[in-house]
Amino acid sequence: MALNRLVAGNWKMHGLSSDLGEIKKIARESRQYPEVEVALCLPASLIERAARAVPGFPIGAQDVHQAEDGACTGCISAPMLRDAGASLVIVGHSERREAQCESNAEVRAKAEAALSYGLGVILCVGESAEIRDAGQAVETVAAQLDLSLPPQVDDPARLAIAYEPIWAIGTGKVPTPAEIEDMHAALRQRLDVAYGEAGGSVRILYGGSVKPSNASEIFAVPHVDGALVGGASLRAADLIPIVAAAAAVEGAPIIA
Ligand code: PGA
């Protein structure tokens, strides 16, 4: 079975009820590109209303707690996200790894919990500018992936990895195609080691300053199976050209 490319928007801490019209527009215009899977990961406060507003369009969250329920003030569990209408969740975004001090072990537990409740997972990894400058990006990110991956996955098509260099997020800076290819090839190899043949069905997204102007070049890089898009996902006028660029790349990204 061929898997489609995945373009997921990460709205971060943006979005009020007045933005539901834009969400509807993104869902409607995405339908022109059935060969691309499009999703929006929204602030928790908007998930239920968005899921009701765009039935059938994947709405996701940006974090999840690893426990099912309990004394965890301010946290949201996987069954709660499902209950609100979410079908996927981002885990291990660098903004959370840094500001909330999330460890690889915690990210792994969150991914496991989300998958076990039937959510899709976008698991983020990526290096700092210092690590890149020291020439240690590939081994650092590969090790981060090894320690963050759930030990097993029943349905690998529900897991995606997002390679997001921290220095590229929101900065307008993007690695060269060769740097992206080297990293994605290394991550693909780690997925094969972790899951065997099933690892081939885990999509690897690139994230960090993906824009309409650079999307075609990024999607043409081998082993790039989609994108995680921050700033450019807030408006249909920016996101839909990125989806169109994903649709225009020859061939399916990976074969399950
Ligand atoms: P950006 O964010 O596209 O605004 O760089 C990407 C992300 O943080 O997921």
Side-chain angles (χ1 to χ4, degrees), residues 176-192:
T176 65
E179 286 169 336
I180 297 176
E181 182 175 354
D182 279 358
M183 183 65 78
H184 280 229
L187 298 180
R188 170 63 59 217
Q189 202 226 341
R190 300 313 302 161
L191 289 167
D192 289 345

Side-chain angles (χ1 to χ4, degrees), residues 75-238:
C75 299
I76 303 182
S77 70
M80 290 170 178
L81 291 179
R82 284 291 301 257
D83 190 46
S87 57
L88 74 155
V89 62
I90 297 170
V91 299
H93 192 281
S94 60
E95 285 154 17
R96 295 198 59 85
R97 286 180 185 264
E98 284 186 348
Q100 267 71 34
C101 304
E102 283 186 11
S103 66
N104 289 322
E106 232 175 316
V107 172
R108 164 183 276 172
K110 287 174 180 221
E112 266 189 285
L115 289 169
S116 77
Y117 281 97
L119 290 166
V121 167
I122 299 175
L123 193 165
C124 303
V125 290
E127 83 284 358
S128 64
E130 294 71 35
I131 297 280
R132 167 69 56 187
D133 292 345
Q136 290 165 352
V138 173
E139 62 261 46
T140 302
V141 175
Q144 196 184 24
L145 182 74
D146 288 346
L147 295 169
S148 305
L149 275 181
Q152 61 188 52
V153 284
D154 293 337
D155 181 1
R158 276 200 288 115
L159 175 63
I161 307 305
Y163 165 54
E164 297 207 310
I166 297 168
W167 51 271
I169 295 174
T171 59
K173 293 184 196 156
V174 179
T176 65
E179 286 169 336
I180 297 176
E181 182 175 354
D182 279 358
M183 183 65 78
H184 280 229
L187 298 180
R188 170 63 59 217
Q189 202 226 341
R190 300 313 302 161
L191 289 167
D192 289 345
V193 170
Y195 303 133
E197 207 180 312
S201 302
V202 177
R203 283 169 289 190
I204 307 177
L205 318 180
Y206 169 77
S209 295
V210 178
K211 309 271 179 242
S213 55
N214 60 19
S216 297
E217 190 181 18
I218 291 169
F219 290 131
V221 175
H223 305 296
V224 172
D225 306 318
L228 182 57
V229 184
S233 71
L234 294 170
R235 289 167 30 97
D238 294 322

Side-chain angles (χ1 to χ4, degrees), residues 55-82:
F57 179 87
I59 296 294
Q62 301 167 13
D63 181 42
V64 62
H65 194 279
Q66 57 269 38
E68 186 180 326
D69 53 26
C72 305
T73 303
C75 299
I76 303 182
S77 70
M80 290 170 178
L81 291 179
R82 284 291 301 257

